[in-house]
Amino acid sequence: MTDFTDIQFNILNSAIDLIAEKGIQQLTIKNLAGKIGKTEGAIYRHFEKKTDILCGILQIFKEYKISMQNKIQEKKSSTLMQLKEVMNQHFQMFSDKPAMAAVIFSEEIFQNEKQLADTVFAIMQETQHIVSSLIEQGQRSGQIRKDISPEQLSIIVMGSLRLMVTRWRLSRNAFDLQNEGTRLWESIEKILTR
Amino acid sequence: MTDFTDIQFNILNSAIDLIAEKGIQQLTIKNLAGKIGKTEGAIYRHFEKKTDILCGILQIFKEYKISMQNKIQEKKSSTLMQLKEVMNQHFQMFSDKPAMAAVIFSEEIFQNEKQLADTVFAIMQETQHIVSSLIEQGQRSGQIRKDISPEQLSIIVMGSLRLMVTRWRLSRNAFDLQNEGTRLWESIEKILTR
Amino acid sequence: MTDFTDIQFNILNSAIDLIAEKGIQQLTIKNLAGKIGKTEGAIYRHFEKKTDILCGILQIFKEYKISMQNKIQEKKSSTLMQLKEVMNQHFQMFSDKPAMAAVIFSEEIFQNEKQLADTVFAIMQETQHIVSSLIEQGQRSGQIRKDISPEQLSIIVMGSLRLMVTRWRLSRNAFDLQNEGTRLWESIEKILTR
Amino acid sequence: MTDFTDIQFNILNSAIDLIAEKGIQQLTIKNLAGKIGKTEGAIYRHFEKKTDILCGILQIFKEYKISMQNKIQEKKSSTLMQLKEVMNQHFQMFSDKPAMAAVIFSEEIFQNEKQLADTVFAIMQETQHIVSSLIEQGQRSGQIRKDISPEQLSIIVMGSLRLMVTRWRLSRNAFDLQNEGTRLWESIEKILTR
DNA sequence: GATGAATGAGCGTTCATTCAT
DNA sequence: CATGAATGAACGCTCATTCAT
């Protein structure tokens, strides 16, 4: 339930674009103001602090993520398919909103802003939890190997996902993330099912 | 290989400590000067630009890594054991030099400095290549499953390693990285050998 | 005399409250707008400039003061009693409207706004004049010592009054201003009558 | 024992001049930098925060005051003469360093900076204490009337001193403060001795 | 009457870098 | 070799004020 005004939304989206284009470090109030064609002061009509803008971005990502996750649960497919879907969604998300990766993988940068660091951590934790639960389910239903704990398997799954995304970013989006993601899933699936 | 003067070396190590203690964002010339007990100007006697310092740090890490890798190859153990050793070394390295993780995982921060970004990328690539080769060897010798390509497996291996380290950092080193690393290896091993 | 509209009056009183609560430095248009539950633009419907608001406040204080003074003259009591009453009133006023002290004693803040500085100065002068006249009267009637000029005595009277109020403010109203005022008067009275 | 460097001292004195000329509100880093013919950044080589500059100014005033007070105690004159001297010194100080009045009487402005507010308060308290003690001494030796407590008398003495200085400032130093101060003392003396 | 948006100037502060000594 | 001083550009932020609606 985001209750952002139109302008706030506009600013947030411009910020997201800016991050996608030039990285989080270039998200300055001045650059952002330039991007929306206003002066710096104008931004402060709509957000009290810069941190609030980052928070807003995280919230948008959070809700985007939630909306995607809901689609999965509705499908009532096998846990393995659900897992595939989760990974797929992540690749789609990052492909769609490259800023999301920049923000969510910028733990270092938020180090000095507890509020943000905590939010990023929470998002990470939550995803981890979802994957872990699905794996546990899969193990119970016999679809997924039982000789490795769900926690360890989820680290393996999420870790490889993250690394793929990181490479994609470092290569300046030189390859098709979703394609590679699909291929990665195929490998992961083999691993999970032996 | 390194042709750093004593003082340069001293500065670089202080920088590494500083990063380990307070994060990469706190690596300012002022803070660094304070750490080595000299003035800011003094640093510029020994390094032309701040970027050169970061480059120096990366080079130190690179050589540290190479020296460790050489130890492995000397041992002439099985490829699986060698792989284990590679992972082990990484956990040991990060555990030993926390700054290394902070620097190597700070792709975002280097985004606007091509030279640095490239170096980080190269280091990453090289490790990837080593792991990949070992896996290929393992596949040829029958120790490692063949239904997944070395490239994919190496992403899985390195990805989970990275994620574990990232968690360790975010938790402010709250758990024993080497222990958890060993446990992770056990899982990875099962995966590689089915 | 005041020709303020209802809304203007409302704004001025909110401003006075704001000053009393948070000090003159917190009297910003934004804070004031928040206090009256309107927007900043709304205030500019009723006052052209911020200075006009401060002027308005001063005028209210001026009239409040005049109305109190009128009560004294009506009483037709002895000059000494009238003087006592003047002091009493001041302590009552400041006690009642702490903002008044904040505004009237903020000469420094008005330094760059001639209009305001002049008004504050005028208020100060006028009080001085009243006290001075009363003392002169008292001297003529023999109630007050004649070896010190009315001007000097009035400085002594008003100066101690001001200092007492200043202390009360700095102590964040930690003591009962009116009580202490009464005690101060007793001392002043002894001084005036030898 | 101020341990300011030459440049710090220079900056502080420029700040004092600036205050004397344009008031405390005009003491901005930019204006100050302009005054010393440097850029704003230059100031921060020598003072970490603006507050430190204000603190430095207060310290200078404090020491100036102490040095003057020491001169009095050396003279070993009668308490009444000492009191006269204390007042005299204050008028001389303010006359000599008009910024001192601007700073010391700016309680309102420091309201949000505890450190400064406390220091100003301490200076005020100390003076109050000195005057109060002298008066008590004078009462014991029979030079000063005993029917009013030292605390009350000191409020009267310091209050009139302050008011005189305030007037002088508001009049933009239109009269000779030391002359008027001497005249004020004559009145005060009469009061103290009946 | 009032709102909501915006502006422009200013503020305190940080930082990589330069340079005379 | 090193210092101490300075710079210039940037940053996050605040405030009085304006104006179309």
Side-chain angles (χ1 to χ4, degrees):
Chain A
M1 300 294 129
T2 28
D3 48 352
F4 292 129
T5 64
D6 286 1
I7 295 180
Q8 278 179 324
F9 215 77
N10 186 13
I11 292 174
L12 289 174
N13 282 318
S14 297
I16 289 170
D17 290 348
L18 193 54
I19 291 170
E21 289 160 22
K22 311 200 179 167
I24 251 203
Q25 308 241 78
Q26 291 303 309
L27 178 65
T28 65
I29 298 295
K30 197 179 187 176
N31 287 350
L32 183 50
K35 183 126 198 146
I36 62 172
K38 304 274 162 66
T39 58
E40 294 164 75
I43 307 256
Y44 285 91
R45 267 261 132 215
H46 305 284
F47 292 96
E48 262 192 15
K49 317 218 143 245
K50 187 187 173 185
T51 295
D52 295 343
I53 296 177
L54 265 324
C55 275
I57 292 175
L58 285 174
Q59 207 184 321
I60 287 180
F61 288 163
K62 219 170 165 180
E63 284 169 28
Y64 178 42
K65 225 177 158 182
I66 290 173
S67 81
M68 295 205 101
Q69 274 152 10
N70 289 342
K71 284 188 206 150
I72 300 178
Q73 259 117 29
E74 288 164 11
K75 286 192 184 165
K76 293 266 176 197
S77 47
S78 76
T79 51
L80 223 46
M81 281 303 97
Q82 282 188 36
L83 251 182
K84 176 185 181 175
E85 202 50 30
V86 167
M87 283 196 76
N88 238 331
Q89 279 181 359
H90 275 87
F91 288 119
Q92 200 182 313
M93 267 182 346
F94 291 131
S95 199
D96 198 40
K97 307 211 174 194
M100 202 159 164
V103 173
I104 289 190
F105 293 176
S106 293
E107 308 98 359
E108 181 75 32
I109 288 172
F110 298 150
Q111 195 171 288
N112 295 314
E113 304 212 49
K114 201 166 173 351
Q115 191 187 156
L116 291 173
D118 288 352
T119 308
V120 168
F121 188 65
I123 292 178
M124 199 165 138
Q125 285 285 70
E126 201 215 341
T127 308
Q128 177 74 15
H129 180 71
I130 289 174
V131 169
S132 197
S133 307
L134 281 173
I135 289 174
E136 206 186 336
Q137 249 176 263
Q139 288 183 331
R140 252 184 273 131
S141 72
Q143 288 183 321
I144 294 178
R145 67 196 296 169
K146 299 192 184 88
D147 61 340
I148 303 176
S149 74
E151 289 73 32
Q152 295 267 323
L153 283 176
S154 71
I155 287 180
I156 289 163
V157 171
M158 296 308 298
S160 42
L161 186 154
R162 272 177 81 110
L163 181 51
M164 177 122 283
V165 176
T166 295
R167 287 217 186 139
W168 176 70
R169 289 174 59 224
L170 290 186
S171 76
R172 302 209 176 225
N173 313 355
F175 57 86
D176 184 310
L177 182 59
Q178 292 200 59
N179 272 359
E180 287 302 312
T182 305
R183 288 186 49 211
L184 179 61
W185 167 252
E186 286 162 14
S187 304
I188 297 278
E189 193 180 18
K190 284 179 195 157
I191 280 172
L192 293 178
T193 59
R194 286 226 172 183
Chain B
M1 300 297 121
T2 31
D3 47 352
F4 293 132
T5 65
D6 284 3
I7 294 179
Q8 279 178 324
F9 214 76
N10 187 12
I11 292 174
L12 290 174
N13 280 318
S14 297
I16 289 170
D17 290 347
L18 193 53
I19 292 169
E21 288 160 22
K22 311 201 179 167
I24 243 197
Q25 308 240 72
Q26 292 302 310
L27 178 67
T28 65
I29 300 297
K30 194 183 181 186
N31 288 350
L32 183 51
K35 184 123 198 152
I36 61 172
K38 304 256 169 80
T39 59
E40 293 153 88
I43 292 185
Y44 282 90
R45 275 262 137 210
H46 304 283
F47 292 97
E48 254 192 21
K49 317 216 141 245
K50 187 185 173 184
T51 296
D52 296 342
I53 296 176
L54 283 162
C55 275
I57 291 174
L58 285 173
Q59 208 185 319
I60 286 180
F61 288 161
K62 218 169 162 180
E63 285 168 28
Y64 176 44
K65 227 176 153 181
I66 290 172
S67 82
M68 292 205 100
Q69 273 150 11
N70 290 343
K71 285 189 206 149
I72 299 178
Q73 259 116 29
E74 290 163 10
K75 285 194 186 166
K76 291 271 178 197
S77 48
S78 78
T79 50
L80 222 47
M81 280 305 96
Q82 282 188 35
L83 250 183
K84 178 184 178 175
E85 203 49 33
V86 168
M87 282 195 78
N88 237 333
Q89 277 181 359
H90 274 87
F91 287 121
Q92 202 182 311
M93 268 182 347
F94 292 131
S95 201
D96 199 40
K97 306 211 175 194
M100 204 162 163
V103 173
I104 289 192
F105 293 179
S106 292
E107 309 98 2
E108 182 71 34
I109 287 173
F110 300 148
Q111 195 169 299
N112 296 309
E113 304 211 51
K114 199 161 175 357
Q115 191 186 153
L116 291 173
D118 288 352
T119 310
V120 169
F121 188 64
I123 293 178
M124 201 162 134
Q125 284 285 73
E126 200 216 342
T127 309
Q128 178 72 17
H129 180 70
I130 290 173
V131 170
S132 196
S133 308
L134 280 173
I135 288 173
E136 207 186 336
Q137 250 176 261
Q139 286 181 334
R140 252 184 273 129
S141 72
Q143 286 184 316
I144 293 178
R145 66 196 296 168
K146 300 193 185 86
D147 60 340
I148 304 175
S149 75
E151 288 74 31
Q152 294 268 321
L153 281 176
S154 71
I155 287 180
I156 288 163
V157 170
M158 296 309 297
S160 41
L161 186 154
R162 274 178 78 109
L163 181 51
M164 177 122 280
V165 176
T166 295
R167 288 220 185 136
W168 176 69
R169 289 176 57 225
L170 290 187
S171 77
R172 300 199 177 233
N173 313 356
F175 57 85
D176 185 309
L177 182 58
Q178 294 200 59
N179 272 0
E180 287 301 311
T182 304
R183 288 186 49 210
L184 180 59
W185 166 252
E186 287 163 14
S187 302
I188 298 277
E189 193 180 20
K190 285 180 194 156
I191 280 171
L192 293 178
T193 59
R194 289 226 169 185
Chain C
M1 301 298 119
T2 32
D3 47 353
F4 292 132
T5 65
D6 284 4
I7 295 178
Q8 279 178 322
F9 214 76
N10 186 13
I11 293 174
L12 291 174
N13 280 318
S14 297
I16 290 170
D17 290 347
L18 194 54
I19 292 169
E21 290 160 20
K22 311 200 177 165
I24 241 196
Q25 308 242 72
Q26 291 303 310
L27 178 66
T28 65
I29 300 296
K30 194 183 182 185
N31 289 350
L32 183 51
K35 185 124 199 152
I36 62 171
K38 302 259 168 78
T39 58
E40 291 153 271
I43 291 184
Y44 282 90
R45 276 261 137 210
H46 305 284
F47 292 96
E48 256 192 21
K49 317 215 141 245
K50 187 185 174 185
T51 297
D52 296 342
I53 295 175
L54 283 162
C55 274
I57 292 174
L58 286 173
Q59 208 184 320
I60 287 180
F61 287 161
K62 217 169 164 182
E63 284 169 28
Y64 176 44
K65 226 175 156 183
I66 290 173
S67 81
M68 294 205 101
Q69 274 149 11
N70 289 343
K71 284 189 206 149
I72 300 178
Q73 259 116 29
E74 287 163 11
K75 284 194 187 165
K76 293 268 176 195
S77 47
S78 78
T79 51
L80 222 48
M81 281 305 95
Q82 284 188 36
L83 250 182
K84 177 185 180 177
E85 202 51 29
V86 167
M87 282 196 78
N88 237 332
Q89 279 181 359
H90 274 88
F91 287 121
Q92 201 181 313
M93 267 182 347
F94 291 131
S95 201
D96 199 41
K97 307 211 174 193
M100 204 160 162
V103 173
I104 290 191
F105 293 178
S106 294
E107 309 96 3
E108 182 72 34
I109 288 173
F110 300 148
Q111 195 169 297
N112 296 310
E113 305 211 51
K114 198 161 174 356
Q115 192 186 154
L116 290 173
D118 288 353
T119 309
V120 168
F121 188 64
I123 292 177
M124 202 163 134
Q125 284 287 69
E126 201 216 339
T127 308
Q128 177 75 15
H129 181 70
I130 289 173
V131 170
S132 197
S133 307
L134 280 174
I135 289 174
E136 205 186 337
Q137 248 175 265
Q139 287 182 332
R140 251 184 275 128
S141 72
Q143 287 183 321
I144 294 177
R145 68 197 293 168
K146 300 193 183 88
D147 60 339
I148 303 175
S149 75
E151 288 72 33
Q152 294 268 323
L153 282 176
S154 71
I155 287 180
I156 288 163
V157 170
M158 296 309 297
S160 42
L161 186 155
R162 274 178 79 109
L163 181 51
M164 178 123 279
V165 176
T166 294
R167 287 215 185 142
W168 177 70
R169 289 175 58 223
L170 290 186
S171 76
R172 299 201 178 231
N173 312 357
F175 57 85
D176 185 308
L177 181 59
Q178 294 200 58
N179 272 1
E180 288 302 311
T182 304
R183 287 186 49 210
L184 180 60
W185 166 253
E186 286 164 15
S187 302
I188 298 278
E189 193 181 18
K190 283 179 196 157
I191 281 171
L192 294 178
T193 58
R194 286 229 172 179
Chain D
M1 297 299 126
T2 28
D3 48 351
F4 293 128
T5 64
D6 284 3
I7 294 181
Q8 279 179 323
F9 216 77
N10 186 14
I11 292 174
L12 290 174
N13 281 320
S14 297
I16 289 171
D17 290 349
L18 193 53
I19 291 170
E21 288 161 22
K22 310 198 179 169
I24 253 202
Q25 308 240 76
Q26 292 302 309
L27 177 66
T28 66
I29 299 295
K30 197 178 189 179
N31 287 349
L32 183 50
K35 183 125 199 148
I36 62 173
K38 305 270 163 69
T39 59
E40 293 162 78
I43 307 257
Y44 285 91
R45 267 263 132 216
H46 306 284
F47 292 96
E48 262 192 14
K49 317 220 140 240
K50 187 187 172 185
T51 294
D52 295 343
I53 296 176
L54 264 324
C55 276
I57 292 175
L58 285 174
Q59 208 184 319
I60 288 180
F61 287 163
K62 221 169 161 179
E63 284 169 28
Y64 178 42
K65 224 177 155 181
I66 289 173
S67 80
M68 293 206 100
Q69 273 151 12
N70 290 343
K71 284 188 206 149
I72 299 179
Q73 259 118 28
E74 289 163 10
K75 286 192 186 164
K76 292 269 177 195
S77 48
S78 77
T79 51
L80 222 47
M81 281 305 96
Q82 283 189 36
L83 251 182
K84 177 184 179 177
E85 202 51 31
V86 167
M87 283 196 77
N88 237 332
Q89 278 182 359
H90 274 88
F91 288 120
Q92 200 182 313
M93 269 183 345
F94 292 131
S95 198
D96 198 39
K97 307 211 174 194
M100 202 160 164
V103 172
I104 288 191
F105 293 178
S106 292
E107 309 97 0
E108 182 74 33
I109 288 173
F110 298 149
Q111 195 171 289
N112 296 314
E113 304 212 50
K114 200 164 175 352
Q115 190 186 156
L116 291 173
D118 287 353
T119 309
V120 169
F121 187 66
I123 293 178
M124 197 164 137
Q125 283 286 74
E126 201 215 341
T127 308
Q128 178 73 17
H129 179 70
I130 291 173
V131 170
S132 196
S133 306
L134 280 175
I135 288 174
E136 208 187 335
Q137 250 176 263
Q139 287 183 332
R140 252 184 274 129
S141 72
Q143 285 182 318
I144 293 178
R145 67 196 294 167
K146 299 191 184 91
D147 60 339
I148 303 176
S149 74
E151 288 74 32
Q152 295 268 322
L153 283 176
S154 71
I155 288 179
I156 289 164
V157 171
M158 296 309 297
S160 42
L161 185 156
R162 272 178 81 109
L163 181 51
M164 178 123 278
V165 176
T166 295
R167 287 219 185 135
W168 176 69
R169 289 176 58 224
L170 290 186
S171 76
R172 306 210 173 223
N173 313 356
F175 57 86
D176 185 308
L177 182 59
Q178 294 200 60
N179 272 359
E180 287 302 310
T182 305
R183 288 187 48 212
L184 180 59
W185 166 253
E186 287 163 13
S187 302
I188 298 278
E189 192 179 19
K190 283 179 196 158
I191 280 172
L192 293 177
T193 58
R194 290 226 166 185

